[in-house]
Amino acid sequence: MNTAQLLVTGCYDKEMDGRGTGLTSYRRDPGDGSLTPLDTLALPSPSYVVRHPTQPLLYTANEAGEVGSVSVVAVAADGSLREVERLSSQGGWPCHLAVGEGGRRLAVANYRTGTALFLDLDEAGRPVGGARLWAGDAGALGPRADRQDGPHAHMVVPGPDGLWTVVDLGTDQLRSGRADADGPEAVTALPAGTGPRQLVRAADGMAYVVGELDSRLHVLREAEPGRFRWLGAVPATGEPERTAGNLPAHLTVSADGSLLLLSNRVTDTVALFRTRPDGLPRPVGEVPSGGAWPRHMELVGDHLHVCDERTDTLAVFTLDVANATLTLRHRYATGSPTCALAIG
């Protein structure tokens, strides 16, 4: 992978009620955090973007359509973007991707159909078949009939030794197993109505789950690979009068693991938490996100990039980890941003 200082954003287009058109690449100044637009690539609602660990390739989850798709995109050192392949996600509304197993496997979470797709990658990072599809557990739905009407795979997270964990908003479950198996080997049930959206593994065996439906940040310990023990949860926002309607979206962790940053839609804030060994994180601050409906965030160095989807803005903050503060530095106009990815 090239080492250029780039940032790439994905978006929603008009088919998903958005105003974006595809991917946008920027030159990123690591000093002041400023961004310079470089190139655009039209794609159907590329709502999530990941990179290959060694090849100059990106993968996008194209969420539009009854059955979504995945694009393989070449990215050059000058920020130019070129689609080299597109294939079916084999499910509706693909919303998340992950590359694992040394760059030899690509996982796709299909939100609408609640399935997880696993694709084999060759040494050059191109899909070579071997597709396997995990279905969700339709018999274990959560209590929120409006949002938990079926399995809804929101994320697939790589783990050690070829282990993967599916985060299912519809069933309040974490399902773990190996991609070449017929399905998960271990299931962790979260409190009813959690609506898990994202799982983040920490280096010390702790794990954090963003509860989209209960507006809480859940803390777990991974006792053994793929098997989690729930320890407790804290509110996702310090605005208790708005907690019930709040929809937390994305969690990111500082490089030293001491600080958690959580985006909150509805309250339109970024909440900061100080981690504690074997305990619940302590809230230490909360700031406006720089726009409305902060969805995904990308932390690179001391700059946090926040995708404010409904105000069509990308906000850049400076993060002071020691003092747990965020300072808004820049805001850029871009249609319905849903994801940001730093390269180099």
Side-chain angles (χ1 to χ4, degrees):
M1 174 64 75
N2 65 69
T3 57
Q5 304 284 337
L6 302 176
L7 188 86
V8 175
T9 58
C11 70
Y12 277 145
D13 66 12
K14 61 182 180 180
E15 187 173 343
M16 295 295 288
D17 298 322
R19 292 159 297 283
T21 57
L23 297 183
T24 301
S25 65
Y26 301 85
R27 178 75 60 187
R28 179 174 57 84
D29 187 322
D32 65 9
S34 60
L35 301 173
T36 303
L38 297 174
D39 196 15
T40 59
L41 175 64
L43 290 174
S45 288
S47 63
Y48 201 83
V49 188
V50 296
R51 59 182 288 188
H52 190 277
T54 60
Q55 301 297 325
L57 293 177
L58 307 178
Y59 307 93
T60 69
N62 303 324
E63 202 165 339
E66 288 297 315
V67 176
S69 61
V70 174
S71 289
V72 182
V73 176
V75 56
D78 63 359
S80 59
L81 304 166
R82 177 176 58 90
E83 185 181 25
V84 296
E85 186 174 355
R86 188 182 301 182
L87 59 156
S88 172
S89 73
Q90 300 185 32
W93 295 357
C95 63
H96 182 269
L97 300 167
V99 180
E101 301 183 43
R104 301 305 295 268
R105 194 93 70 180
L106 177 68
V108 186
N110 290 307
Y111 178 85
R112 184 171 185 175
T113 49
T115 55
L117 173 68
F118 297 93
L119 297 168
D120 294 339
L121 303 176
D122 64 18
E123 291 183 357
R126 299 288 293 272
V128 290
R132 287 161 297 282
L133 201 66
W134 285 6
D137 185 357
L141 301 183
R144 283 280 303 270
D146 59 331
R147 294 290 308 279
Q148 296 181 310
D149 54 338
H152 292 304
H154 216 305
M155 189 178 198
V156 188
V157 188
D161 301 323
L163 184 81
W164 295 81
T165 300
V166 178
V167 181
D168 195 316
L169 182 144
T171 64
D172 294 323
Q173 291 179 337
L174 306 177
R175 299 192 299 275
S176 301
R178 285 163 178 76
D180 54 5
D182 293 332
E185 303 163 13
V187 176
T188 300
L190 295 166
T194 293
R197 178 184 178 93
Q198 181 191 13
L199 166 69
V200 175
R201 284 182 167 97
D204 59 359
M206 301 289 281
Y208 303 95
V209 170
V210 177
E212 177 174 334
L213 301 186
D214 67 359
S215 188
R216 296 197 297 170
L217 178 60
H218 295 256
V219 183
L220 303 91
R221 175 162 286 283
E222 194 167 7
E224 57 183 275
R227 299 181 187 274
F228 300 87
R229 179 169 59 90
W230 186 81
L231 301 180
V234 296
T237 174
E239 300 186 22
E241 70 279 3
R242 302 175 70 183
T243 295
N246 182 55
L247 296 170
H250 186 78
L251 181 72
T252 191
V253 185
S254 63
D256 66 357
S258 70
L259 201 64
L260 307 176
L261 301 101
L262 179 62
S263 66
N264 286 294
R265 296 166 295 177
V266 179
T267 60
D268 297 331
T269 59
V270 178
L272 297 91
F273 302 85
R274 188 70 71 186
T275 59
R276 294 189 291 184
D278 294 313
L280 301 184
R282 177 172 58 91
V284 289
E286 191 164 1
V287 300
S289 70
W293 214 252
R295 187 180 176 93
H296 182 269
M297 303 184 296
E298 177 78 334
L299 179 63
V300 54
D302 61 355
H303 292 121
L304 182 73
H305 305 81
V306 181
C307 295
D308 287 307
E309 179 189 338
R310 293 191 177 176
T311 45
D312 300 329
T313 50
L314 177 64
V316 183
F317 292 81
T318 298
L319 171 65
D320 183 332
V321 174
N323 295 305
T325 59
L326 284 169
T327 304
L328 180 62
R329 298 299 186 192
H330 311 280
R331 294 175 78 243
Y332 298 95
T334 183
S336 305
T338 57
C339 181
L341 174 69
I343 303 172

